[in-house]
mmCIF file of all heavy atoms in Angstrom:
data_model
loop_
_atom_site.group_PDB
_atom_site.id
_atom_site.type_symbol
_atom_site.label_atom_id
_atom_site.label_comp_id
_atom_site.label_asym_id
_atom_site.label_seq_id
_atom_site.Cartn_x
_atom_site.Cartn_y
_atom_site.Cartn_z
ATOM 1 N N THR A 678 -20.835 -11.912 6.516
ATOM 2 C CA THR A 678 -20.044 -11.585 5.307
ATOM 3 C C THR A 678 -19.652 -10.103 5.319
ATOM 4 O O THR A 678 -19.665 -9.427 4.308
ATOM 5 C CB THR A 678 -20.792 -11.944 4.008
ATOM 6 O OG1 THR A 678 -22.009 -11.182 3.902
ATOM 7 C CG2 THR A 678 -21.105 -13.427 3.938
ATOM 8 N N GLN A 679 -19.272 -9.622 6.497
ATOM 9 C CA GLN A 679 -19.035 -8.204 6.728
ATOM 10 C C GLN A 679 -17.787 -7.690 5.999
ATOM 11 O O GLN A 679 -16.917 -8.454 5.601
ATOM 12 C CB GLN A 679 -18.915 -7.915 8.220
ATOM 13 C CG GLN A 679 -17.586 -8.278 8.860
ATOM 14 C CD GLN A 679 -17.361 -9.767 8.979
ATOM 15 O OE1 GLN A 679 -18.281 -10.531 9.266
ATOM 16 N NE2 GLN A 679 -16.137 -10.205 8.745
ATOM 17 N N HIS A 680 -17.734 -6.361 5.870
ATOM 18 C CA HIS A 680 -16.567 -5.653 5.341
ATOM 19 C C HIS A 680 -16.171 -4.539 6.311
ATOM 20 O O HIS A 680 -17.029 -3.879 6.875
ATOM 21 C CB HIS A 680 -16.859 -5.051 3.964
ATOM 22 C CG HIS A 680 -16.776 -6.046 2.852
ATOM 23 N ND1 HIS A 680 -17.728 -7.025 2.670
ATOM 24 C CD2 HIS A 680 -15.859 -6.229 1.867
ATOM 25 C CE1 HIS A 680 -17.401 -7.761 1.614
ATOM 26 N NE2 HIS A 680 -16.264 -7.302 1.120
ATOM 27 N N THR A 681 -14.899 -4.347 6.443
ATOM 28 C CA THR A 681 -14.264 -3.309 7.264
ATOM 29 C C THR A 681 -14.607 -3.439 8.737
ATOM 30 O O THR A 681 -15.756 -3.320 9.143
ATOM 31 C CB THR A 681 -14.606 -1.878 6.792
ATOM 32 O OG1 THR A 681 -15.991 -1.581 6.974
ATOM 33 C CG2 THR A 681 -14.220 -1.690 5.337
ATOM 34 N N ALA A 682 -13.604 -3.713 9.522
ATOM 35 C CA ALA A 682 -13.689 -3.659 10.978
ATOM 36 C C ALA A 682 -12.607 -2.686 11.422
ATOM 37 O O ALA A 682 -11.430 -3.051 11.517
ATOM 38 C CB ALA A 682 -13.470 -5.040 11.585
ATOM 39 N N PHE A 683 -12.999 -1.432 11.638
ATOM 40 C CA PHE A 683 -12.051 -0.366 11.939
ATOM 41 C C PHE A 683 -12.167 0.076 13.392
ATOM 42 O O PHE A 683 -13.272 0.264 13.915
ATOM 43 C CB PHE A 683 -12.288 0.840 11.034
ATOM 44 C CG PHE A 683 -11.979 0.600 9.573
ATOM 45 C CD1 PHE A 683 -12.798 1.128 8.587
ATOM 46 C CD2 PHE A 683 -10.874 -0.138 9.191
ATOM 47 C CE1 PHE A 683 -12.517 0.924 7.247
ATOM 48 C CE2 PHE A 683 -10.585 -0.355 7.853
ATOM 49 C CZ PHE A 683 -11.411 0.185 6.873
ATOM 50 N N ILE A 684 -11.043 0.274 14.025
ATOM 51 C CA ILE A 684 -10.995 0.733 15.416
ATOM 52 C C ILE A 684 -11.314 2.223 15.478
ATOM 53 O O ILE A 684 -10.842 2.998 14.647
ATOM 54 C CB ILE A 684 -9.598 0.488 16.012
ATOM 55 C CG1 ILE A 684 -9.233 -0.996 15.952
ATOM 56 C CG2 ILE A 684 -9.520 0.995 17.458
ATOM 57 C CD1 ILE A 684 -7.774 -1.274 16.229
ATOM 58 N N ILE A 685 -12.122 2.626 16.457
ATOM 59 C CA ILE A 685 -12.319 4.044 16.753
ATOM 60 C C ILE A 685 -11.237 4.420 17.765
ATOM 61 O O ILE A 685 -11.383 4.226 18.976
ATOM 62 C CB ILE A 685 -13.722 4.324 17.316
ATOM 63 C CG1 ILE A 685 -14.794 3.811 16.337
ATOM 64 C CG2 ILE A 685 -13.909 5.815 17.576
ATOM 65 C CD1 ILE A 685 -16.223 4.012 16.830
ATOM 66 N N ASP A 686 -10.125 4.928 17.287
ATOM 67 C CA ASP A 686 -8.944 5.136 18.130
ATOM 68 C C ASP A 686 -9.221 6.052 19.313
ATOM 69 O O ASP A 686 -8.755 5.796 20.430
ATOM 70 C CB ASP A 686 -7.792 5.700 17.298
ATOM 71 C CG ASP A 686 -7.240 4.688 16.300
ATOM 72 O OD1 ASP A 686 -7.048 3.524 16.697
ATOM 73 O OD2 ASP A 686 -7.025 5.049 15.135
ATOM 74 N N SER A 687 -9.964 7.135 19.077
ATOM 75 C CA SER A 687 -10.172 8.121 20.131
ATOM 76 C C SER A 687 -11.065 7.614 21.257
ATOM 77 O O SER A 687 -11.123 8.223 22.323
ATOM 78 C CB SER A 687 -10.769 9.401 19.539
ATOM 79 O OG SER A 687 -12.020 9.138 18.919
ATOM 80 N N LYS A 688 -11.773 6.511 21.044
ATOM 81 C CA LYS A 688 -12.663 5.958 22.069
ATOM 82 C C LYS A 688 -12.154 4.611 22.601
ATOM 83 O O LYS A 688 -12.823 3.957 23.396
ATOM 84 C CB LYS A 688 -14.080 5.788 21.501
ATOM 85 C CG LYS A 688 -14.706 7.088 21.000
ATOM 86 C CD LYS A 688 -16.111 6.870 20.454
ATOM 87 C CE LYS A 688 -16.672 8.118 19.770
ATOM 88 N NZ LYS A 688 -16.869 9.247 20.699
ATOM 89 N N THR A 689 -10.955 4.202 22.150
ATOM 90 C CA THR A 689 -10.410 2.890 22.476
ATOM 91 C C THR A 689 -9.226 3.020 23.432
ATOM 92 O O THR A 689 -8.443 3.962 23.341
ATOM 93 C CB THR A 689 -9.970 2.169 21.192
ATOM 94 O OG1 THR A 689 -11.132 1.842 20.412
ATOM 95 C CG2 THR A 689 -9.209 0.887 21.481
ATOM 96 N N ASN A 690 -9.113 2.051 24.370
ATOM 97 C CA ASN A 690 -7.951 1.992 25.253
ATOM 98 C C ASN A 690 -7.538 0.534 25.440
ATOM 99 O O ASN A 690 -8.001 -0.344 24.703
ATOM 100 C CB ASN A 690 -8.254 2.675 26.592
ATOM 101 C CG ASN A 690 -9.495 2.099 27.279
ATOM 102 O OD1 ASN A 690 -9.651 0.881 27.370
ATOM 103 N ND2 ASN A 690 -10.384 2.979 27.741
ATOM 104 N N LYS A 691 -6.695 0.254 26.421
ATOM 105 C CA LYS A 691 -6.195 -1.108 26.610
ATOM 106 C C LYS A 691 -7.287 -2.081 27.029
ATOM 107 O O LYS A 691 -7.175 -3.286 26.799
ATOM 108 C CB LYS A 691 -5.069 -1.106 27.650
ATOM 109 C CG LYS A 691 -3.778 -0.475 27.152
ATOM 110 C CD LYS A 691 -2.669 -0.607 28.187
ATOM 111 C CE LYS A 691 -1.368 -0.026 27.639
ATOM 112 N NZ LYS A 691 -0.254 -0.152 28.620
ATOM 113 N N ASN A 692 -8.334 -1.569 27.650
ATOM 114 C CA ASN A 692 -9.392 -2.452 28.149
ATOM 115 C C ASN A 692 -10.600 -2.544 27.222
ATOM 116 O O ASN A 692 -11.234 -3.587 27.128
ATOM 117 C CB ASN A 692 -9.862 -1.975 29.528
ATOM 118 C CG ASN A 692 -8.757 -2.057 30.569
ATOM 119 O OD1 ASN A 692 -7.920 -2.951 30.521
ATOM 120 N ND2 ASN A 692 -8.744 -1.107 31.489
ATOM 121 N N VAL A 693 -10.915 -1.424 26.542
ATOM 122 C CA VAL A 693 -12.132 -1.351 25.741
ATOM 123 C C VAL A 693 -11.791 -0.956 24.300
ATOM 124 O O VAL A 693 -11.012 -0.015 24.071
ATOM 125 C CB VAL A 693 -13.130 -0.339 26.334
ATOM 126 C CG1 VAL A 693 -14.339 -0.174 25.422
ATOM 127 C CG2 VAL A 693 -13.574 -0.786 27.720
ATOM 128 N N VAL A 694 -12.360 -1.683 23.353
ATOM 129 C CA VAL A 694 -12.170 -1.388 21.932
ATOM 130 C C VAL A 694 -13.527 -1.071 21.312
ATOM 131 O O VAL A 694 -14.476 -1.852 21.447
ATOM 132 C CB VAL A 694 -11.542 -2.585 21.184
ATOM 133 C CG1 VAL A 694 -11.438 -2.282 19.689
ATOM 134 C CG2 VAL A 694 -10.169 -2.910 21.753
ATOM 135 N N TYR A 695 -13.624 0.080 20.642
ATOM 136 C CA TYR A 695 -14.803 0.421 19.851
ATOM 137 C C TYR A 695 -14.488 0.137 18.380
ATOM 138 O O TYR A 695 -13.411 0.509 17.885
ATOM 139 C CB TYR A 695 -15.182 1.885 20.017
ATOM 140 C CG TYR A 695 -15.967 2.194 21.273
ATOM 141 C CD1 TYR A 695 -15.316 2.398 22.483
ATOM 142 C CD2 TYR A 695 -17.361 2.278 21.251
ATOM 143 C CE1 TYR A 695 -16.030 2.692 23.643
ATOM 144 C CE2 TYR A 695 -18.087 2.558 22.402
ATOM 145 C CZ TYR A 695 -17.415 2.768 23.594
ATOM 146 O OH TYR A 695 -18.128 3.049 24.728
ATOM 147 N N LEU A 696 -15.420 -0.500 17.692
ATOM 148 C CA LEU A 696 -15.231 -0.890 16.292
ATOM 149 C C LEU A 696 -16.413 -0.455 15.437
ATOM 150 O O LEU A 696 -17.562 -0.524 15.885
ATOM 151 C CB LEU A 696 -15.119 -2.412 16.169
ATOM 152 C CG LEU A 696 -13.866 -3.126 16.643
ATOM 153 C CD1 LEU A 696 -14.106 -4.620 16.615
ATOM 154 C CD2 LEU A 696 -12.685 -2.770 15.754
ATOM 155 N N THR A 697 -16.125 -0.029 14.211
ATOM 156 C CA THR A 697 -17.176 0.180 13.221
ATOM 157 C C THR A 697 -17.078 -0.944 12.187
ATOM 158 O O THR A 697 -15.989 -1.279 11.722
ATOM 159 C CB THR A 697 -17.025 1.531 12.505
ATOM 160 O OG1 THR A 697 -15.730 1.595 11.872
ATOM 161 C CG2 THR A 697 -17.156 2.683 13.479
ATOM 162 N N VAL A 698 -18.216 -1.523 11.837
ATOM 163 C CA VAL A 698 -18.252 -2.648 10.896
ATOM 164 C C VAL A 698 -19.413 -2.462 9.933
ATOM 165 O O VAL A 698 -20.488 -1.997 10.338
ATOM 166 C CB VAL A 698 -18.411 -3.997 11.646
ATOM 167 C CG1 VAL A 698 -18.303 -5.168 10.667
ATOM 168 C CG2 VAL A 698 -17.388 -4.137 12.763
ATOM 169 N N PHE A 699 -19.206 -2.836 8.668
ATOM 170 C CA PHE A 699 -20.324 -2.904 7.728
ATOM 171 C C PHE A 699 -20.767 -4.353 7.630
ATOM 172 O O PHE A 699 -20.039 -5.222 7.130
ATOM 173 C CB PHE A 699 -19.959 -2.375 6.338
ATOM 174 C CG PHE A 699 -21.166 -2.232 5.444
ATOM 175 C CD1 PHE A 699 -21.850 -1.034 5.383
ATOM 176 C CD2 PHE A 699 -21.644 -3.301 4.698
ATOM 177 C CE1 PHE A 699 -22.987 -0.887 4.592
ATOM 178 C CE2 PHE A 699 -22.782 -3.171 3.902
ATOM 179 C CZ PHE A 699 -23.449 -1.963 3.848
ATOM 180 N N ASP A 700 -21.964 -4.627 8.141
ATOM 181 C CA ASP A 700 -22.562 -5.966 8.137
ATOM 182 C C ASP A 700 -23.331 -6.139 6.830
ATOM 183 O O ASP A 700 -24.461 -5.683 6.697
ATOM 184 C CB ASP A 700 -23.483 -6.089 9.352
ATOM 185 C CG ASP A 700 -24.358 -7.335 9.324
ATOM 186 O OD1 ASP A 700 -24.045 -8.269 8.566
ATOM 187 O OD2 ASP A 700 -25.356 -7.356 10.067
#
Side-chain angles (χ1 to χ4, degrees):
T678 62
Q679 78 289 322
H680 280 72
T681 66
F683 293 140
I684 301 167
I685 304 178
D686 291 315
S687 60
K688 301 180 188 295
T689 292
N690 55 47
K691 289 185 177 181
N692 296 326
V693 175
V694 176
Y695 279 83
L696 287 171
T697 58
V698 186
F699 190 92
D700 169 18

